Amino acid sequence: MHTLSIATSFLVFGLCTLAAPTIRVEPESIDFGTVKAGEKAEKTVTVYNDGDAPLIVLRGKATCGCTSIDVPEGEDASIAPGGSAQMPVRFDATGRAGKQSAIVAITTNDPGRPAVTVNVSAFVETLTMLRPPNGLLWQQAARGGEIRRTVVIVPGDATKEIELIDVTSDRPALTPTAANVTRNGQHMIDVKFALAKDAPLGALDATVTARVRVAGEETTVTIPARGMVVGDVLVSPMEIDASRAAIKRGERIGEILVRAGRGGRAPDIGGLETAGPVRAELEPVRGEDLRKIVVSAALDAPAGPCGATVIIMTSGTDQPIVDVPVYFEVARDVSV
């Protein structure tokens, strides 16, 4: 009798330990089809518990900001054996164009499949698309000249024609010009940009607005523009960041190149000063269109992260003095 009681206890214990939730999600993929730009769409996935213990929904997350899932919380996060719960999946086409894809991950207490994924796809239909989608971004450009970057406006449907009505800028320092062109059989609008001769030096943020017509339908395209305006001196890089790897004292950190803002003979370097534990020396180069400054860590630079500034005196009229920040890390001494 005693032996039978022990065997029964082990059997009951074994059955209890085998009890576990089992997740099943339907559908395993969602296609929102064609969604117009700026609109939102919603579909539902159903989470089933095919196990014999409560399934606890812990969280849901998507790989793209265009997609989200609402998972139950509190007591509703527990799905009884044989039960199910519906969860809405939302797609936001704002700021999107063309084919879109994302993965939604649902995390639960299922020991066999702690995370289940649902593939999400959609095609965002838009009247126009901007290439590059983030607009006009440039590092440095001299005032009074053209920016060596362009932006293209194309129809959302490549088979349709696109026509420019007008293009304007909210900043007089930035002048856009646009033209209808055809490349590889596709109609598009090529937008170029120039800086005014009296454009203020420093960072420039502007918004360019283009009115276009696609297959008879008129729309407005907003082009963000951002970059640095320089004068007759072009310095690159604008800062040196070599802090990813430690260097030794006296070792070379990087170099600064000085050119004329509008091309031609580079400005003369009248002097170099430093603020912080660095050395700056002018290195000879071939030709007259470039000046090179080598920046090294000072021999007495302290160990650890360091910051300094290289001050360049030039013969330029617009920028007789240019400051270049330098960030680096000096290797610590090893003692035995």
Side-chain angles (χ1 to χ4, degrees), residues 133-211:
N134 55 354
L136 175 68
L137 298 176
W138 76 92
Q139 291 292 326
Q140 295 183 79
R143 61 184 181 183
E146 288 190 355
I147 298 174
R148 295 181 180 179
R149 290 182 181 272
T150 61
V151 172
V152 176
I153 306 172
V154 299
D157 185 345
T159 63
K160 295 181 179 180
E161 293 188 0
I162 186 170
E163 176 188 0
L164 174 69
I165 300 175
D166 61 45
V167 58
T168 57
S169 171
D170 67 341
R171 296 289 299 273
L174 182 69
T175 303
T177 57
N180 293 290
V181 298
T182 302
R183 295 173 184 163
N184 300 323
Q186 184 178 6
H187 301 284
M188 59 186 68
I189 297 173
D190 192 20
V191 187
K192 298 181 179 180
F193 306 86
L195 293 170
K197 293 182 179 180
D198 59 349
L201 302 178
L204 173 65
D205 284 282
T207 300
V208 173
T209 304
R211 289 196 304 129

Side-chain angles (χ1 to χ4, degrees), residues 231-235 257-271 282 288-293 312-320 322:
D232 50 6
V233 178
L234 182 64
V235 174
L257 304 179
V258 181
R259 297 183 175 90
R262 302 177 186 88
R265 188 177 186 277
D268 295 326
I269 306 299
L282 194 62
E288 293 294 324
D289 61 340
L290 175 69
R291 312 289 183 218
K292 180 186 291 186
I293 300 168
I312 308 170
M313 276 75 78
T314 75
S315 60
T317 302
D318 296 330
Q319 296 158 283
V322 181

Side-chain angles (χ1 to χ4, degrees), residues 15-22 49-55 80-82:
L15 291 175
C16 292
T17 57
L18 291 176
T22 302
N49 182 7
D50 294 337
D52 48 14
L55 177 71

Side-chain angles (χ1 to χ4, degrees), residues 16-30:
C16 292
T17 57
L18 291 176
T22 302
I23 187 173
R24 176 168 54 92
V25 177
E26 292 184 0
E28 295 182 352
S29 63
I30 296 177

